[in-house]
Structures are given as C-alpha cells and as structure tokens.
Amino acid sequence: MKDKITLSSLERMKSAGEKIAVLTAYDAGFARLAEAAGVEVILVGDSLCMVVQGHDSTLPVTVQEMVYHTAMVNRGCHRPLLVADMPFMSHGTPRQALDNAGRLMKEGGAHMVKLEGGHAQVETVRHLTDRAVPVCAHLGLLPQSIHQLGGYKVQGRDSHSAERILNEANELQEAGAQMLVLECVPELLATEISLALDIPVIGIGAGRGCDGQVLVLHDMLGITPGKVPSFSRNFMEKENSVEDAMRAFVEAVHRGEFPAEEHCFQ
C-alpha cells in the first residue's frame, strides 16, 4: 500500500505542482473504491443530505448523521485523508464548533473538519486549530447559506466581492486553516487565491488554477437526479465500473485534463 496521505503530503503536492484529487463518499463501500482509484482526499460532505437522504438542500443533516457516515467511510479506507463537513448550525460559536468537531474526529474518525464561511468564522477556525483540530475552510458559494445568497449562484464576479473572498482566504489561512475549498467562483479569482496561499486550494466549479479538484460522488457517476451542475462531468459515461469511473476522474485531475474550459466560470 502507498504511504498514507497527510496534510504534509498535500502541501508537498502543492509545492511540486501536482494536482490533488478529492471525492465525496458516504459509506464504506464507496470509500473502498475511491481509495483503490487513488484519491488523495475523501470528503464526507453534507451533500449527503441531498444525494443520499433526498432533501432539497444541505441544511437538514445533523451532526449525529455526519458522525455516522464519517465512521462508515473511515472503516472503508486507510490511505486517503478523511475530511468531514460540519453541518449547518453546528459551529455557531467556537465552543459549539469544538464540541462537534471533537465528535467528528473521535467518534467518526475524521482527520480534518470543513466549515463554511469567511470573516465570521475566523475566530472559530483559530479556536479549533489552537486545540489541534485541523480545519479546511470553504469560501465562494456556501450551500449552507443558500437562502441568504438567494440561490446557487457564482460568487466573486464583481471586484468588491472578489476582493472580499481573497481577503477572507488570507484571514482563514492566518487563523490556522490548512486547506481551502473554493466553490463556484471565476477561474481567474480562484487561480489568484491558489497562488497567494501556502495551503492547498481545492476547487469545485472554480477552474483549472486550483491545487486540486473535488466532485460530489453522485454527480461524477451521473446518477444525480435532475439538473447536474455545469462544472461537473459524468465519468461513468465511458467506463464499465464505478471504480473505473473514479480512476478516470483521478487521472483526469492529475493530468490537468479536468476541469476543462467548459467546466469553468469566467
């Protein structure tokens, strides 16, 4: 078996210009396949609320449900870095965030937690990282803030909001965040942020200049009901098995072939 992926591994990949492949998974079986396909990071996303539980947003999923799914994924894989989403209203205060992050790590086996938000989360990120909880920040489109944003819209297209996202990325890194997910932002902004930060920047609908790419498993397999995000690609379409589709995704990310121009926002 190859060496276990750590945050230091991802930092070395960024420094070497090697792309990082990230997939979501929600149970042991798919986690096992993702590991075999060579992903560096598995994200137990709150997206499970939509693609597994059938809700129309990520808001209803609970901490207990995230712990449950994280533990299943943890039992199914050994090499990838395991990141767990902190669900809506689980990190309203630094103390609440620490309690819930502790559950995701101790009961679920997560190596890192991911939380959405910019300037308002800086104190929480610092509180967690000062207490040995690794944090992945998340900027751009924030699904947990969908009602506040008024829908699933590209963020950072005007100069004011672009500058705000860049400043928040720097603030979060300074507060101790060791990875950042950028969702649905223009490619030029995402590239600027990726170059400005020392930590790995993982894009989803954020263009080709990020240090890595993440897709929701069901989108990547083409089994999401209804409209599929324009930044996604059905990797199952030309493959004969789920593992082959995952491997095709990983190879496309590593070679810099995904995302392509049609998956990017300008």
Side-chain angles (χ1 to χ4, degrees):
M1 180 184 292
K2 295 180 180 179
D3 292 340
K4 186 170 181 60
I5 298 295
T6 65
L7 287 167
S8 295
S9 307
L10 302 181
E11 290 168 2
R12 286 194 295 270
M13 289 182 72
K14 177 184 174 90
S15 296
E18 299 173 1
K19 297 294 186 179
I20 301 163
V22 186
L23 270 178
T24 68
Y26 315 105
D27 61 32
F30 280 111
R32 194 172 295 117
L33 292 175
E35 179 178 57
V39 300
E40 281 80 36
V41 180
I42 292 180
L43 169 64
V44 185
D46 58 2
S47 50
L48 73 86
C49 193
M50 301 175 72
V51 299
V52 175
Q53 296 178 333
H55 294 287
D56 61 2
S57 76
T58 64
L59 303 186
V61 71
T62 67
V63 172
Q64 179 56 42
E65 290 166 338
M66 291 301 303
V67 169
Y68 172 75
H69 283 275
T70 302
M72 285 195 289
V73 170
N74 183 47
R75 289 191 289 269
C77 65
H78 304 283
R79 181 176 180 262
L81 186 80
L82 179 55
V83 182
D85 256 332
M86 297 195 67
F88 180 62
M89 295 302 290
S90 68
H91 45 89
T93 66
R95 174 59 186 273
Q96 182 189 29
L98 184 62
D99 289 344
N100 289 322
R103 290 195 62 197
L104 287 165
M105 295 183 73
K106 291 192 291 184
E107 298 174 40
H111 306 136
M112 180 180 231
V113 298
K114 180 171 78 65
L115 56 87
E116 295 182 10
H119 179 75
Q121 295 298 340
V122 168
E123 181 184 353
T124 296
V125 170
R126 184 173 289 112
H127 188 77
L128 293 176
T129 56
D130 282 350
R131 290 157 180 80
V133 177
V135 172
C136 174
H138 184 150
L139 292 173
L141 175 62
L142 308 176
Q144 292 176 13
S145 302
I146 199 63
H147 297 306
Q148 188 177 44
L149 295 174
Y152 295 95
K153 303 175 181 178
V154 179
Q155 304 296 305
R157 274 188 160 149
D158 64 272
S159 58
H160 176 75
S161 60
E163 183 178 8
R164 174 181 54 78
I165 293 171
L166 174 59
N167 289 339
E168 288 179 330
N170 280 297
E171 281 187 281
L172 290 162
Q173 177 177 258
E174 287 180 20
Q178 290 176 278
M179 192 155 66
L180 171 67
V181 167
L182 280 178
E183 181 168 1
C184 290
V185 300
E187 183 173 48
L188 285 177
L189 173 60
T191 300
E192 181 181 4
I193 292 172
S194 300
L195 292 172
L197 298 187
D198 297 321
I199 61 176
V201 176
I202 309 299
I204 178 166
R208 295 160 286 188
C210 296
D211 304 305
Q213 301 292 330
V214 58
L215 283 181
V216 171
L217 175 67
H218 292 59
D219 292 346
M220 188 275 297
L221 293 177
I223 57 175
T224 301
K227 185 179 179 181
V228 177
S230 62
F231 53 75
S232 186
R233 175 179 152 191
N234 180 359
F235 282 87
M236 189 70 192
E237 197 170 31
K238 298 181 180 179
E239 304 299 333
N240 296 316
S241 71
V242 170
E243 184 178 334
D244 286 346
M246 290 180 173
R247 197 178 301 279
F249 164 75
V250 171
E251 291 174 355
V253 171
H254 286 172
R255 292 195 299 259
E257 296 172 359
F258 179 83
E261 185 175 357
E262 62 266 27
H263 305 117
C264 305
F265 299 111
Q266 305 306 321

